[in-house]
Amino acid sequence: MSKNALIFCLFCTLFFVGEHSILAQNNITKTNKTLIKPPYLKAGDTVAIVAPSGILKNRTTEVEQAKTLLKSWGLHTVVGKHVFSKDNHFAGTDDERCEDFQKALDNPKISAIWCARGGYGTVRILDKLDFSKFKSNPKWVIGYSDITALHNQIHNEGVESLHAIMCVSLPDDLSKIKASITTFKKTIFGEPLLHNLKGSNYNKTGKASGQLVGGNLTMLHTMLGSKTSINVSEKILFIEEIGEYKYHIDRMLQSLKRAGYFNDCKGLIVGDMSKMRKNTTLWGTSIEQLVLDALSEYDFPIAFGMPAGHEKDNQALILGRTITLNVEKGQSSIVFKE
């Protein structure tokens, strides 16, 4: 290779490496800035109920109960035009579900958007949504499970959102999910939020502070490589899951790890791992040990036992809000910055 060619190759290498570093740093800076906090609700405000995912066949009772609950808090409700529409697996076609959600995003008289249920389907409408009016008039978007796709997108738009119960989470006897409802109400009305978690011998002790991000593990894994994937650098990640084999949990963690997801992560909060399926070849360890083994090379604290996910006790978490996580064997605490 000639001297000039060698100099040219070195220049190209330095340029592209430098450009990549600058872009990566800009991305970290962008996603780590303080997010916009939507206005807390007050009596007289209006909540939109929409269905961006699965079909709501025979679920009118839960939606009516959700309206009654909101009314008891002094809030008004509007239900999306297509909430009870049907299109195979989904609550209406992609365009219909998108239409309802877009109207709720754009309407300045809507103070919060409460997703009726999860299931599957949100990812199909993400790229159809326009968040420009939402960013100038932010509002709380509420849900969990499949709604993680929206939480991720909203985080990247620079706005906080709420991981909490959905309409179909409401049983006939609301006292059965008292903590879930209490934390949901406290959060949307702006009361301080704090979680004290039961201790676990699996806890990896330590203290950390950073923005809380995350949600359903499958959805986080699904978002990899897209513009909706979240940058976890300098942040604290929350995960939960339902109905998976343990080997699939490990596979998703390994995929995230290989993508650099945990490289600069500050901490991990593990919520409910519900209804784990049993493979013919048993995994051989608990789900807690699986997580610890998969992330053994990292030194950030890991807290187990957050009551959030697909169980009745599904307590609210403000995604995008800075938290302090203190993990001990006997107890862990999550304190949200006001």
Side-chain angles (χ1 to χ4, degrees), residues 13-306:
T13 300
L14 289 172
F15 175 80
F16 285 113
V17 169
E19 183 183 43
H20 175 77
S21 299
I22 291 170
L23 288 172
Q25 185 59 46
N26 284 343
N27 188 43
I28 290 172
T29 302
K30 178 182 177 182
T31 54
N32 278 9
K33 67 181 181 181
T34 300
L35 270 59
I36 296 170
K37 182 194 304 179
Y40 292 121
L41 273 61
K42 60 185 184 303
D45 283 343
T46 300
V47 177
I49 294 176
V50 297
S53 302
I55 193 170
L56 282 154
K57 184 178 180 180
N58 300 323
R59 309 306 289 269
T60 55
T61 299
E62 289 97 325
V63 173
E64 287 301 316
Q65 192 168 23
K67 292 167 61 178
T68 299
L69 179 65
L70 294 174
K71 184 177 180 180
S72 72
W73 297 344
L75 300 172
H76 303 296
T77 308
V78 294
V79 177
K81 175 182 176 182
H82 302 292
V83 163
F84 296 108
S85 295
K86 304 174 185 179
D87 185 64
N88 296 320
H89 182 90
F90 309 107
T93 65
D94 292 350
D95 286 342
E96 288 173 337
R97 301 195 318 280
C98 182
E99 178 187 336
D100 280 0
F101 206 92
Q102 190 67 61
K103 285 182 177 179
L105 285 174
D106 294 346
N107 189 341
K109 296 181 180 180
I110 300 297
S111 300
I113 303 172
W114 195 9
C115 297
R117 67 157 292 183
Y120 170 68
T122 301
V123 67
R124 295 167 60 104
I125 70 170
L126 274 182
D127 294 333
K128 298 175 179 286
L129 295 170
D130 180 353
F131 289 90
S132 54
K133 290 184 178 180
F134 167 78
K135 286 191 286 186
S136 63
N137 181 39
K139 58 201 70 179
W140 293 103
V141 174
I142 306 153
Y144 70 99
S145 191
D146 193 58
I147 309 306
T148 297
L150 281 164
H151 289 312
N152 282 16
Q153 184 65 43
I154 289 167
H155 180 86
N156 289 343
E157 299 290 346
V159 181
E160 294 180 356
S161 59
L162 184 56
H163 186 282
I165 58 174
M166 296 184 283
C167 299
V168 298
S169 305
L170 301 175
D172 293 335
D173 183 0
L174 296 184
S175 66
K176 294 180 179 179
I177 59 166
K178 184 176 180 180
S180 302
I181 292 175
T182 299
T183 55
F184 173 36
K185 182 182 179 183
K186 285 176 63 174
T187 305
I188 62 173
F189 282 101
E191 296 182 34
L193 187 60
L194 164 69
H195 293 295
N196 288 314
L197 312 184
K198 293 179 180 178
S200 171
N201 288 331
Y202 290 104
N203 281 352
K204 190 170 183 178
T205 61
K207 189 173 183 178
S209 180
Q211 285 180 356
L212 180 64
V213 295
N216 180 259
L217 180 59
T218 293
M219 295 309 301
L220 298 175
H221 182 253
T222 300
M223 298 297 110
L224 275 181
S226 74
K227 64 182 180 181
T228 307
S229 187
I230 46 177
N231 186 331
V232 186
S233 178
E234 303 297 317
K235 298 172 186 174
I236 296 173
L237 180 67
F238 161 74
I239 59 172
E240 61 84 23
E241 192 51 87
I242 184 172
E244 292 290 354
Y245 292 108
K246 288 181 180 179
Y247 77 82
H248 194 194
I249 299 293
D250 183 74
R251 179 164 59 192
M252 289 189 287
L253 291 174
Q254 297 295 338
S255 295
L256 291 169
K257 183 167 67 173
R258 295 186 70 240
Y261 216 70
F262 301 103
N263 288 355
D264 297 303
C265 183
K266 288 295 187 181
L268 177 67
I269 300 170
V270 181
D272 296 319
M273 293 288 174
S274 304
K275 299 180 181 178
M276 290 290 101
R277 300 169 69 184
K278 290 185 178 181
N279 194 28
T280 51
T281 303
L282 296 180
W283 180 261
T285 71
S286 65
I287 191 70
E288 292 87 353
Q289 192 61 52
L290 183 159
V291 172
L292 292 175
D293 290 344
L295 305 179
S296 60
E297 61 262 52
Y298 305 104
D299 60 2
F300 51 71
I302 300 177
F304 294 95
M306 175 64 211

